[in-house]
Amino acid sequence: MKKKIVVLTGAGMSVESGLSTFRDADGLWENYPVSRVATHEGWEADPEYVNNFYNMLRRKLVAAKPNEGHRLVAQLEEKYDVTVVTQNVDNLHEMAGSTHVIHLHGELMKVCSSWDVDNPAYQRTLTPPDLDVHPGEKAADGSLLRPFIVFFGEGVPNIVSAAEEAQHADIFIIIGTSLNVYPAAGLVQYVPQGVPVYLIDPNAVMGSGRRQITHIQKGASEGMRQLAGMLL
């Protein structure tokens, strides 16, 4: 039986693919206030503005390509049973070949009912060239279409599945996300004691708590090259 690897990825995973982070100094929140584009109140106040923001992100995403870090994570499946848990809303892990991806914060390429967000019956995947949600466009239940994104203040339905995966990990890898930011900090607590935990991030890390974590202080691709050399 193959050993199980769980990989938790954050915004730093996709930076090398040209996708802006939200929180950095030049991130998206600098130009688009969180309250307007990533909260239920923002959606209620101006759904057209919110949809236009995610239409723009979708167009950026289809122009992006997986980077070497994404490809090396997918390559781990040659030897291991791999689950990717990502905080990112892009689909670059899937594009790189990862076959089991849990999205914690939603999926940018999907739209859904604004009344029944998590009901798959009312979800659609958008594909080029039809990437935009148009003003007044509705889901099958008659509600306005909205992005299939977990807004601030909303629940994270897939966190339960992610925690279950972490509990069964033989190796746990964190890429491009600080241990100060949940759900990353929370999920690592579900990893059994004695299981090796690797963190790939170029920044200094605080808050590792009582866990022994091997910090590879590099970007996603360079760090994954180093780790893949150890694991493959």
Side-chain angles (χ1 to χ4, degrees):
M1 181 181 294
K2 292 181 177 180
K3 285 188 174 182
K4 184 171 190 61
I5 290 181
V6 177
V7 185
L8 174 67
T9 66
M13 185 82 229
S14 297
V15 166
E16 294 172 37
S17 295
L19 299 182
S20 299
T21 64
F22 286 89
R23 290 182 173 86
D24 287 347
D26 59 348
L28 290 168
W29 295 148
E30 289 293 307
N31 299 311
Y32 298 92
V34 176
S35 60
R36 290 198 67 188
V37 298
T39 65
H40 184 73
E41 292 76 16
W43 165 261
E44 289 285 334
D46 195 344
E48 185 175 342
Y49 182 87
V50 174
N51 275 328
N52 283 340
F53 173 73
Y54 290 97
N55 289 344
M56 176 269 292
L57 292 187
R58 239 174 260 120
R59 290 191 289 270
K60 288 180 179 292
L61 175 54
V62 297
K65 299 273 191 286
N67 60 55
E68 185 181 4
H70 291 108
R71 294 192 293 271
L72 287 169
V73 167
Q75 191 178 331
L76 292 174
E77 294 190 18
E78 296 175 4
K79 188 173 179 181
Y80 299 92
D81 173 11
V82 181
T83 297
V84 177
V85 179
T86 186
Q87 298 175 90
N88 300 333
V89 296
D90 62 58
N91 60 353
L92 295 177
H93 280 298
E94 290 91 338
M95 291 174 63
S98 290
T99 59
H100 186 198
V101 182
I102 297 173
H103 285 269
L104 293 180
H105 295 160
E107 298 178 61
L108 181 57
M109 297 306 293
K110 290 184 177 180
V111 291
C112 61
S113 160
S114 52
W115 292 341
D116 197 1
V117 174
D118 296 310
N119 189 334
Y122 304 129
Q123 295 170 4
R124 280 184 10 222
T125 300
L126 301 181
T127 56
D130 300 316
L131 295 171
D132 289 357
V133 176
H134 302 288
E137 192 171 355
K138 294 183 178 180
D141 64 351
S143 70
L144 287 176
L145 273 179
R146 60 159 267 186
F148 184 56
I149 300 294
V150 176
F151 291 152
F152 283 94
E154 293 182 332
V156 182
N158 286 338
I159 193 66
V160 174
S161 298
E164 289 173 353
E165 295 289 337
Q167 286 176 322
H168 295 97
D170 296 303
I171 301 169
F172 194 78
I173 303 169
I174 304 165
I175 308 174
T177 183
S178 165
L179 286 178
N180 287 329
V181 178
Y182 282 80
L187 285 176
V188 77
Q189 302 306 321
Y190 288 89
V191 179
Q193 289 297 321
V195 167
V197 178
Y198 299 93
L199 170 66
I200 298 172
D201 196 284
N203 301 312
V205 173
M206 305 288 288
S208 58
R210 295 186 297 275
R211 293 219 58 118
Q212 182 62 43
I213 293 176
T214 301
H215 185 191
I216 299 173
Q217 201 163 349
K218 297 177 179 177
S221 292
E222 188 179 2
M224 269 306 300
R225 279 198 299 273
Q226 179 176 328
L227 187 56
M230 299 161 58
L231 297 178
L232 293 174

